[in-house]
Amino acid sequence: MRWSRLRLSAVALLAASAGLLPAPASAVSGAGAGAVSGAGAVACEDLRVPVTVLGTPHSVHGRLCTPAGASTVQVLIPGGTYNSSYWDISYSPDTRSYRQAMNRAGIATLAVDRLGTGRSSRPLSALVTASTQAHAVHQVVRAVRPRFEKVVVGGHSIGAAMALIEAGTYRDVDGVLVTGFTHRMNLVTVVPALAGMIPAVLDPHLRRGGLDVGYLTTAPGTRYGSFHAPGPRVDDAIGVDEATKDVFAASEAVDTITLHNVVVPFTRLVDVPVMVVVGAGDTHFCGRPLGSDCRSTDSLRDSESPFFSPAARLHAHVLPDYGHSINYAPNAPAYHRAVQAWTATL
């Protein structure tokens, strides 16, 4: 993929639509899907939310898991080349499953597949930008809100940019969780990573209907270096990451980079609490020459504060000894606990 090709992609807007439909498959879980100590079982169901892309109907798939009595839901957006499974990692789930960690704390989770990924619809890739994805998530938030008192929108990496665009544009959530993303993107490492992507149609595991050549994925054998280093290389965990990888549209990167590293209009509009979490070794967003200061929680908060209004009451957390995809970190429970504590303050 050539960088110039990214710049040619246009920003499209989604028209609003409403509705929340259960997908054909649904389940009410017991211990096998994350029983909650002291709070009863967790009910999980697959949802399909109708959305519209430039007048064309599509749908966003999500997995909603609700502990008994939960009043807060986190709507979770995965990063590029990930789908909703990033929030519920099957390898060592007691440690790495963000979904189970939140459910154990009594917080409901709705992990969505971005348009083009997982079981969501697959529009033409040129129509899929961070802004269109954010509007799709807005429709998901609108559909699920009647079931909960509070809604938090959260995202990882490019999904975090979408969460910020959604919150700043529509102001319909009670908090924003940002993981694996800062405003000081280290383009020295990001651009080569993007340039190393391959069309998903060339990957034997991702040759599925509806994907045009604008949908990209990681080349085989590159995920540890791109997403996990300098964390420990756990082959079984990296194997799960490779087996569950997905796609992203080249056009999703365009407004993520320009809106959050040049213009920065949306984050100043966010008027609810925000929490930012990164791995200390995330070279895509941390460290010299262009990244944020991720040496400590205080330095990260100081680095990100200028991009937010006082209403964001910015919280920060740095997870030591890991790179970009922090849900895979063996010490991920430390950041899970920090998010749980922050959510309780909303």
Side-chain angles (χ1 to χ4, degrees), residues 1-85:
M1 178 189 68
R2 296 181 180 273
W3 183 245
S4 59
R5 184 180 171 190
L6 291 176
R7 293 197 296 264
L8 295 175
S9 300
V11 175
L13 295 176
L14 289 169
S17 69
L20 181 63
L21 303 176
S26 64
V28 177
S29 66
V36 179
S37 176
V42 176
C44 290
E45 56 186 311
D46 290 305
L47 302 179
R48 191 168 298 280
V49 182
V51 299
T52 303
V53 180
L54 294 179
T56 303
H58 289 279
S59 62
V60 172
H61 167 266
R63 180 75 167 165
L64 175 65
C65 291
T66 308
S71 60
T72 297
V73 64
Q74 296 178 353
V75 178
L76 302 168
I77 312 167
T81 75
Y82 284 99
N83 54 40
S84 57
S85 66

Side-chain angles (χ1 to χ4, degrees), residues 11 15 49 109 125 127 210 266 338:
V11 175
V49 182
T109 54
S125 61
L127 304 180
F266 291 105

Side-chain angles (χ1 to χ4, degrees), residues 160-169 171 176 178 181-183 256 259-261 263-272 274 276 304-314:
M162 296 164 190
L164 288 166
I165 293 172
E166 196 283 335
T169 302
R171 300 190 175 191
V176 185
V178 175
F181 182 88
T182 76
H183 286 82
T256 297
L259 294 179
H260 290 277
N261 293 270
V263 184
V264 200
F266 291 105
T267 54
R268 294 290 301 177
L269 298 175
V270 175
D271 59 355
V272 293
V274 177
V276 178
E304 282 294 286
S305 289
F307 300 100
F308 292 94
S309 75
R313 294 167 20 211
L314 190 64

Side-chain angles (χ1 to χ4, degrees), residues 122-146:
R122 297 160 195 155
L124 289 173
S125 61
L127 304 180
V128 181
T129 67
S131 297
T132 60
Q133 296 279 22
H135 193 71
V137 172
H138 163 61
Q139 296 172 73
V140 174
V141 168
R142 185 176 60 187
V144 78
R145 177 168 277 285

Side-chain angles (χ1 to χ4, degrees), residues 63-119:
R63 180 75 167 165
L64 175 65
C65 291
T66 308
S71 60
T72 297
V73 64
Q74 296 178 353
V75 178
L76 302 168
I77 312 167
T81 75
Y82 284 99
N83 54 40
S84 57
S85 66
Y86 174 76
W87 300 103
D88 195 9
I89 294 167
S90 60
Y91 175 77
S92 186
D94 287 345
T95 297
R96 292 170 170 84
S97 172
Y98 179 95
R99 191 274 298 174
Q100 288 194 23
M102 294 303 117
N103 291 170
R104 285 193 294 267
I107 302 165
T109 54
L110 175 54
V112 302
D113 293 321
R114 297 181 344 277
L115 290 171
T117 72
R119 286 188 276 174

